[in-house]
Amino acid sequence: MCGSHHQGRASHAVMCRTLANSCGERRRFLRSAVMRIPHFFWFLLLLSGGGLIFLYLKDLTETLQQQSQGAQVIFNRVQPVRKEQCSDCSDNESQSSYPTDDIFPSPAHPVQPTVFPWARRTSLLNPKYITAAHVTKGHHKLLKSSPVIQPLNTDPPGQNRDSTERITQVQQVSRIFVEDTHKLLYCEVPKAGCSNWKRVLMVLKGLAPSTEKIQHDEVHNGNHLKRLDSFDHISIIQRLKTYTKVIFPREPFERLVSAFRDKFENPESYYHTVFGKAIISRYRRNATQVALSTGAGVTFKEFIQYLLDVHRPVGMDIHWMPVAQLCSPCLLDYDFIGKFETMEEEANFLLRSFGAPSNLTFPTFKDRNPNAERTSSEIMRRYFAQLNVTERQRVYDFYYMDYLLFNYSKPFNDLY
């Protein structure tokens, strides 16, 4: 019995040693296997964990934003535009340094358009004041990347540039026309009544007795009116300080369709040659030799392809450039911002406010393609029906700053 008992204990000890050796070998194998896992795999694991934490915090932040109360008012009829309301975002395409607020203060005697509800001063939006309930993620990104909303004091630390040096880098005043007699600055917005506004400026300057006597070619090719950038730096600053600055925007989609109809559906040697040829060559499959050589017959869909192409075969044109880029409303304190849609009434009120001759009223005639129907909301929708939802959304994004700054409603319900 004793011998049998001792043999059992010895057998049990052998089994334990065998299991221990086996477990040790497995542990050594696992350690060696873990050590053989590439370092890149560990990096991915850590990155994934960090991403989960970031998404959780991001969702929490958006939830808090959606629960915030209200948003800043887009238009303020009493208070002037202040430069600190503009964003401090940088322009990826232009490295210009913009002047500070002391260079472009409000005029000494600005027009007070608050008498009428349609004539408003702007109060431009700073993206940090806009809640998630009012602006989508995509449009918030557009706000931050727009070349319109720029820092007004972008001098590097330790540098104090002279104001006349900074003004040389500001090209936005090239679209502003000057009428010295009545101290008026008008920013030209093509396809928004600019021809008739130039006629008014010519009459105010004493170049013609009435607007009816001025032909279209004389308006645009006569060089009778001075642009603000034709003056020296000191004169530019002085006029910006003391003159009444005026702008009349138009509903962006209607303005775009109006420009397309005018430049591509009518005989236009310049636009057919410069833009039409390039557009047809790039976006039309199996284009005929006639179309390639003349540039005539560009379709609206082809035109939109060109507009949205970041690698356009030919540059932008002022007739479809956003008003926010043409007239820089975040850089200049405009004293009167009207609307093309109610231009006759607003323009006549403005003329009376600064003492224009009593017989001068804003003209309403259409001398270019007079038999063509004016572009309306209905006509605009007819053209945009040729586009799909994605294309319409991208065009809306392209003109988003115009819609936001000038308080125009979304033209289609499926836009976000």
Side-chain angles (χ1 to χ4, degrees):
M1 289 290 293
C2 291
S4 176
H5 178 70
H6 286 298
Q7 289 177 356
R9 292 180 61 184
S11 176
H12 179 71
V14 172
M15 291 178 62
C16 288
R17 284 194 298 272
T18 303
L19 289 174
N21 292 335
S22 176
C23 290
E25 291 178 358
R26 290 182 181 180
R27 284 195 294 270
R28 286 192 295 273
F29 173 78
L30 288 175
R31 282 199 299 269
S32 62
V34 170
M35 294 300 293
R36 286 195 297 269
I37 295 177
H39 294 293
F40 180 71
F41 180 74
W42 290 110
F43 173 76
L44 289 179
L45 288 177
L46 293 174
L47 185 64
S48 300
L52 292 175
I53 296 174
F54 172 78
L55 290 175
Y56 172 77
L57 294 176
K58 183 172 180 291
D59 291 340
L60 180 61
T61 302
E62 291 182 353
T63 301
L64 293 175
Q65 287 179 340
Q66 292 173 355
Q67 294 175 350
S68 61
Q69 299 297 321
Q72 293 294 313
V73 178
I74 295 179
F75 285 96
N76 187 328
R77 301 183 186 181
V78 179
Q79 299 298 326
V81 182
R82 302 308 304 166
K83 292 296 168 287
E84 56 269 20
Q85 292 176 290
C86 300
S87 169
D88 59 353
C89 307
S90 60
D91 182 2
N92 295 328
E93 297 181 358
S94 172
Q95 299 301 323
S96 298
S97 297
Y98 293 123
T100 54
D101 193 48
D102 60 343
I103 300 177
F104 302 113
S106 298
H109 303 286
V111 177
Q112 296 297 332
T114 56
V115 176
F116 293 112
W118 59 80
R120 302 170 177 176
R121 289 177 177 270
T122 58
S123 179
L124 303 182
L125 292 178
N126 188 324
K128 69 180 181 180
Y129 295 138
I130 307 172
T131 64
H134 295 81
V135 179
T136 65
K137 295 179 183 177
H139 291 149
H140 188 80
K141 185 176 181 180
L142 285 172
L143 277 170
K144 295 183 72 62
S145 63
S146 172
V148 178
I149 298 184
Q150 292 294 336
L152 295 167
N153 192 1
T154 56
D155 290 339
Q159 294 187 17
N160 183 18
R161 297 182 183 179
D162 186 81
S163 60
T164 58
E165 293 179 353
R166 289 200 298 267
I167 196 68
T168 61
Q169 301 182 34
V170 180
Q171 301 300 320
Q172 284 79 1
V173 297
S174 65
R175 307 313 313 174
I176 297 179
F177 289 87
V178 180
E179 202 287 293
D180 284 316
T181 304
H182 297 84
K183 296 186 176 182
L184 182 67
L185 299 179
Y186 164 71
C187 186
E188 174 190 27
V189 179
K191 309 311 300 176
C194 68
S195 297
N196 282 337
W197 257 113
K198 289 180 181 179
R199 289 185 172 92
V200 169
L201 295 180
M202 292 174 67
V203 173
L204 289 173
K205 193 176 179 180
L207 300 176
S210 67
T211 56
E212 290 78 8
K213 304 294 183 179
I214 308 174
Q215 299 299 315
H216 185 272
D217 289 342
E218 189 176 1
V219 169
H220 292 284
N221 302 324
N223 294 322
H224 299 296
L225 299 173
K226 288 187 176 182
R227 298 178 187 268
L228 187 56
D229 65 347
S230 67
F231 294 86
D232 61 71
H233 304 147
I234 301 300
S235 299
I236 290 175
I237 295 172
Q238 187 271 334
R239 283 169 173 78
L240 287 171
K241 285 182 177 180
T242 59
Y243 282 24
T244 299
K245 297 176 287 294
V246 177
I247 181 177
F248 278 82
R250 183 179 184 178
E251 203 285 331
F253 276 22
E254 291 183 24
R255 177 172 169 255
L256 179 66
V257 171
S258 177
F260 172 78
R261 295 176 67 204
D262 184 32
K263 303 306 178 186
F264 294 99
E265 291 186 348
N266 293 296
E268 260 283 3
S269 59
Y270 171 77
Y271 284 92
H272 289 178
T273 301
V274 175
F275 289 89
K277 288 183 179 181
I279 291 174
I280 292 174
S281 175
R282 186 178 182 95
Y283 306 108
R284 184 179 298 181
R285 294 182 178 178
N286 303 319
T288 65
Q289 192 59 41
V290 174
L292 291 171
S293 61
T294 64
V298 171
T299 67
F300 185 66
K301 193 175 184 69
E302 291 169 340
F303 174 65
I304 295 301
Q305 286 180 281
Y306 146 78
L307 183 75
L308 300 177
D309 192 346
V310 295
H311 302 292
R312 299 185 190 94
V314 62
M316 283 292 293
D317 183 82
I318 61 172
H319 289 84
W320 45 83
M321 183 179 291
V323 179
Q325 294 182 26
L326 284 170
C327 296
S328 304
C330 204
L331 174 66
L332 304 177
D333 284 330
Y334 283 93
D335 307 294
F336 193 99
I337 298 180
K339 291 288 184 69
F340 170 83
E341 292 75 17
T342 51
M343 180 175 286
E344 182 179 3
E345 188 174 10
E346 294 176 10
N348 286 328
F349 161 71
L350 179 62
L351 291 173
R352 303 287 79 78
S353 68
F354 60 72
S358 58
N359 63 339
L360 176 60
T361 57
F362 190 81
T364 58
F365 56 83
K366 185 175 184 285
D367 63 346
R368 179 172 169 80
N369 305 314
N371 296 325
E373 185 180 0
R374 289 183 183 272
T375 301
S376 61
S377 175
E378 181 181 353
I379 291 178
M380 176 271 289
R381 291 178 176 276
R382 192 186 310 160
Y383 278 80
F384 271 85
Q386 303 173 33
L387 308 180
N388 58 40
V389 176
T390 301
E391 290 168 329
R392 286 201 303 269
Q393 181 63 53
R394 291 185 63 197
V395 177
Y396 178 73
D397 292 342
F398 186 85
Y399 289 105
Y400 178 65
M401 291 305 303
D402 282 5
Y403 277 101
L404 181 65
L405 296 179
F406 303 118
N407 202 27
Y408 281 107
S409 302
K410 294 179 182 179
F412 294 96
N413 293 330
D414 56 3
L415 299 174
Y416 57 83

